[in-house]
């Protein structure tokens, strides 16, 4: 009897389990150590880059299984032992998973439900997959069975035939991924996973993208006739200098007269009839387009010279949440955490004031305060406007092209429309169920969009109190948005680390871009309508092709903390960014870098060329602005903590101690930036 009781114990009296599945929580330690050691130390170098992506889902599902199987102490030890491996890429998810410690948490936690109710999609080459299976099958008793069960129950692994795949799985691309500390996921990887660019996240979704029409919109025929007549008169009054095209010739270069397959339907998003103000604005846009400062592409490896006009706000006591410049370059507005909006005249001239019964003789002032919100103001948007014609057009009233309205959104869940004539609130739009993070007028006015923490974006118009469309699909709050230049589409960035492109009229998502490893904080669509840039809290900027739905490249240089603003040059060849690291940075979007090698076509899709800098590898380039700031503050550089800068950064403009909230290219290709000095 004693022999029978002790036959499953070792010499110290500890139980001996005949099967790994009977070991309790420790089996997940053995299983994860097994797969981690093989991938990182014993695997072929060529497969290491893609197989390292397997470790994150193996970690997550092992942790959730430990918690669900009532091993809370083992789950804590498992998290402490291995979470540091994924901090760089999955810091937000790790923060949420650290709070999942009981079986009840698995049922209630959003992050746990997201992973348990969906399969993690991962694409790896066929040879790497067969190598992984062979290893796990041959080590079933050492933990292979646990990993195989995770693969079968929680993962959707797609095998790629290298002979038929894109350049992503070429031998050179696979070796490049294995030789660097890769921290960017594949475009189709994740929860629930999808074909690159496709907004259809079904497991059985076809590998076909929704057709999008990214060309310029057809404008109203009567409007363009009036614009042409005004331009002809302007050419007669002020003939162009030798070598410069006439305004009518400039109009013919940019206007689209006949629709083609890339032209969106004008009736899909109907606009009200144009006014004389619209004619004057279109005339001024043509003049600015002709007379702008041209930004050529790279010449001999040297990027174009860009200057930035910085507006710094002092004595704000960290109360400013957002900054916005008007299209006529006369006004700047700031939204504050004290729930009011402050507007200044940029050149210091007094703002117009209308006498009232209580104030019949208002004193001239270069600033106004708008009060109405009951919580912090997070975003502002001036109504469409252009700079004043110089010289003024005949019979043109003063300030004819200045903004008439201002939109604001707030944590009080409302959107407000303000009059810039009377400096009062005209309408309060209600509909969102959570704070509204971003707001933007459409390219032709009348319509505007809002993005909210309630995970939706909404389409509004100035003459309707209720939204026309609700765009739902994000798994986290919709944090930022940007209109497409033709007004038929827009993009949103979310705290779920994705960027989605939406059809305005149909209300559906037509593109889904995944690849960010942190919350998306800014998005901007190029004036040519073909590309979108998105930035995240981790300091990365990713450039996407809207037509193919593929990632073009990633641009690095900003420190962590958030990139808050992006803006494109008129030629769609240069991008500027600004954020919490107190810098404005200028990027060459046409240049191919090592970060663009793995994307299909790379920067060639944007018309770019490779450079000697990219060929030699810019991954080791260190940000001089960050190093100088550290030296000025008497700080020692921490080894391995330098900010890596990609070779497509043209220039960087550091401020002394001012986070930059807004950066914007004007139609003349001048760059404006705004920030607040922090004590």
């Amino acid at each position: 009897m004693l022999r029978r009781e002790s036959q499953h114990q070792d010499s110290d009296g500890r139980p001996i389990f005949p099967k790994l599945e009977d070991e309790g929580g420790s089996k997940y330690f053995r299983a994860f150590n097994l797969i981690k050691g093989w991938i990182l130390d014993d695997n072929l170098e060529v497969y290491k880059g893609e197989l390292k992506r397997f470790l994150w889902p193996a970690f997550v599902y092992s942790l959730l299984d430990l918690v669900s199987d009532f091993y809370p102490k083992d789950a804590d030890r498992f998290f402490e032992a291995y979470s540091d491996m994924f901090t760089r890429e999955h810091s937000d998810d790790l923060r949420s998973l650290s709070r999942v410690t009981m079986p009840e948490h698995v049922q209630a936690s959003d992050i746990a439900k997201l992973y348990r109710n969906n399969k993690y999609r991962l694409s790896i080459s066929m040879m790497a997959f067969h190598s992984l299976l062979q290893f796990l099958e041959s080590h079933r008793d050492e933990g292979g069975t646990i990993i195989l069960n995770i693969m079968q129950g929680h993962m959707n692994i797609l095998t790629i035939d290298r002979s038929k795949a894109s350049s992503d799985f070429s031998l050179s691309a696979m070796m490049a991924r294995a030789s660097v500390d890769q921290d960017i996921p594949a475009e189709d990887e994740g929860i629930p996973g999808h074909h690159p660019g496709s907004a259809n996240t079904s497991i059985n979704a076809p590998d076909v993208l929704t057709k999008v029409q990214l060309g310029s919109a057809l404008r109203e025929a009567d409007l363009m006739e009036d614009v042409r007549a005004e331009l002809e008169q302007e050419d007669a009054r002020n003939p162009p200098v030798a070598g410069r095209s006439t305004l009518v010739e400039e109009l013919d270069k940019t206007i689209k007269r006949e629709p083609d397959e890339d032209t969106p339907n004008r009736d899909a998003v109907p606009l009200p009839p144009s006014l004389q103000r619209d004619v004057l604005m279109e005339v001024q846009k043509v003049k600015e387009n002709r007379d702008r400062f041209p930004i050529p592409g790279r010449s001999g490896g040297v990027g174009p010279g860009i200057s930035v006009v910085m507006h710094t706000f002092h004595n704000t006591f960290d109360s400013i949440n957002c900054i916005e410049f008007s299209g006529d370059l006369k006004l700047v507005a700031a939204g504050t955490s004290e729930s009011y909006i402050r507007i200044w005249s940029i050149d210091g001239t007094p703002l117009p004031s209308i006498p009232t019964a209580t104030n019949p003789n208002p004193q001239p002032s270069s600033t106004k305060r708008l009060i109405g919100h009951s919580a912090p103001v997070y975003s502002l948007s001036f109504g469409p406007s252009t700079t004043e014609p110089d010289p003024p057009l005949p019979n043109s009233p003063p300030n004819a092209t200045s903004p008439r309205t201002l939109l604001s959104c707030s944590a009080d869940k409302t959107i407000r429309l303000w009059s810039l004539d009377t400096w009062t609130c005209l309408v309060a739009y209600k509909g969102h169920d959570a704070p509204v993070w971003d707001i933007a007028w459409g390219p032709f006015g009348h319509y505007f969009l809002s993005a909210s923490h309630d995970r939706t974006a909404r389409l509004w118009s100035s003459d309707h109190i209720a939204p026309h469309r609700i765009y739902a699909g994000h798994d986290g709050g919709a944090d930022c948005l940007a209109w497409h230049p033709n007004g038929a589409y827009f993009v949103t960035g979310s705290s779920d680390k994705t960027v989605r492109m939406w059809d305005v009229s149909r209300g559906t998502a037509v593109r889904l871009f995944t690849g960010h490893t942190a919350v998306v904080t800014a998005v901007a669509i190029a004036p040519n309508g073909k590309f979108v840039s998105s930035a995240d809290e981790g300091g990365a900027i990713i450039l996407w092709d809207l037509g193919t739905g593929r990632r073009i490249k990633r641009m690095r240089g900003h420190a962590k903390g958030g990139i808050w603003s992006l803006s494109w040059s008129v030629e769609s060849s240069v991008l500027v960014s600004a954020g919490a690291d107190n810098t404005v940075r200028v990027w060459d979007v046409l240049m191919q870098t090592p970060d663009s090698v793995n994307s299909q076509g790379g920067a060639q899709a944007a018309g770019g060329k490779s450079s000697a800098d990219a060929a030699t590898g810019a991954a080791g380039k260190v940000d001089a602005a960050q190093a100088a700031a550290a030296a000025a503050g008497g700080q020692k550089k921490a080894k391995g903590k330098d900010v890596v800068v990609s070779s497509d950064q043209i220039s960087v403009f550091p401020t002394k101690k001012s986070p930059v909230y807004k950066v914007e290219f004007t139609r003349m290709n001048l760059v404006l930036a705004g920030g607040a000095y922090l004590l």
Side-chain angles (χ1 to χ4, degrees), residues 244 250 288-298 303-307 569-574 665-670:
R244 176 173 290 185
E250 189 68 28
E288 291 178 345
N289 191 64
R290 183 193 67 176
D291 301 337
R292 73 181 187 275
F293 171 70
I295 298 181
R298 274 183 174 257
I306 304 293
S307 297
S569 66
V570 175
E571 295 85 356
S572 302
S573 60
V574 172
F665 264 110
T666 69
R667 294 187 186 91
M668 297 289 285
N669 267 342
L670 304 176

Side-chain angles (χ1 to χ4, degrees), residues 629-637:
Q635 301 173 0
K636 295 181 180 180
K637 290 193 297 180

Side-chain angles (χ1 to χ4, degrees), residues 229-244:
E230 289 286 351
L231 293 176
E232 290 173 349
Q233 295 178 16
E234 183 64 18
D235 282 333
R237 288 190 298 267
N238 300 290
V241 298
R244 176 173 290 185

Side-chain angles (χ1 to χ4, degrees), residues 67-226:
V67 176
S68 299
D69 293 344
F70 295 91
Y71 298 114
K73 293 183 178 180
D74 288 327
D76 289 340
R77 289 194 300 111
F78 187 87
F79 186 88
E80 291 295 328
Y82 304 114
S83 60
D84 288 345
M85 295 175 54
F86 311 102
T87 301
R88 182 176 178 183
E89 182 179 341
H90 299 285
S91 58
D92 293 332
D93 286 350
L94 287 172
R95 195 178 304 113
S96 300
L97 287 170
S98 66
R99 296 189 287 268
V100 181
T101 58
M102 301 292 290
E104 295 82 1
H105 299 165
V106 177
Q107 306 298 325
S109 168
D110 289 339
I111 187 72
K113 289 191 291 185
L114 181 66
Y115 277 90
R116 298 278 286 195
N117 297 337
N118 296 278
K119 289 192 173 184
Y120 193 98
R121 174 168 167 150
L122 185 66
S123 296
I124 58 178
S125 64
M126 193 174 296
M127 291 298 295
F129 180 69
H130 289 163
S131 177
L132 174 64
L133 279 185
Q134 184 178 6
F135 174 78
L136 294 176
E137 289 285 354
S138 61
H139 294 77
R140 277 185 171 273
D141 294 338
E142 291 86 1
T145 301
I146 302 298
I147 302 300
L148 286 170
N149 289 339
I150 289 176
M151 291 172 59
Q152 182 177 3
H154 300 294
M155 297 185 67
N156 175 28
I157 298 181
L158 303 182
T159 56
I160 307 297
D161 186 349
R162 279 181 47 210
S163 63
K164 302 177 183 178
S166 66
S167 58
D168 294 22
F169 288 89
S170 66
L171 185 61
S172 60
M174 292 168 65
M175 290 296 293
R177 286 197 293 268
S179 62
V180 299
D181 188 7
Q182 186 80 359
D183 64 342
I184 182 169
E187 296 169 79
D188 63 344
E189 180 183 335
I191 294 287
H194 65 110
H195 293 291
S198 174
N200 189 341
T201 57
S202 171
I203 293 180
N204 300 318
D207 189 9
V208 178
L209 295 180
T210 304
K211 179 178 174 57
V212 291
Q213 297 171 308
L214 304 177
S216 301
L218 281 177
R219 304 305 305 277
E220 185 182 345
D222 292 342
L223 169 65
M224 301 318 297
E225 287 181 7
D226 293 341

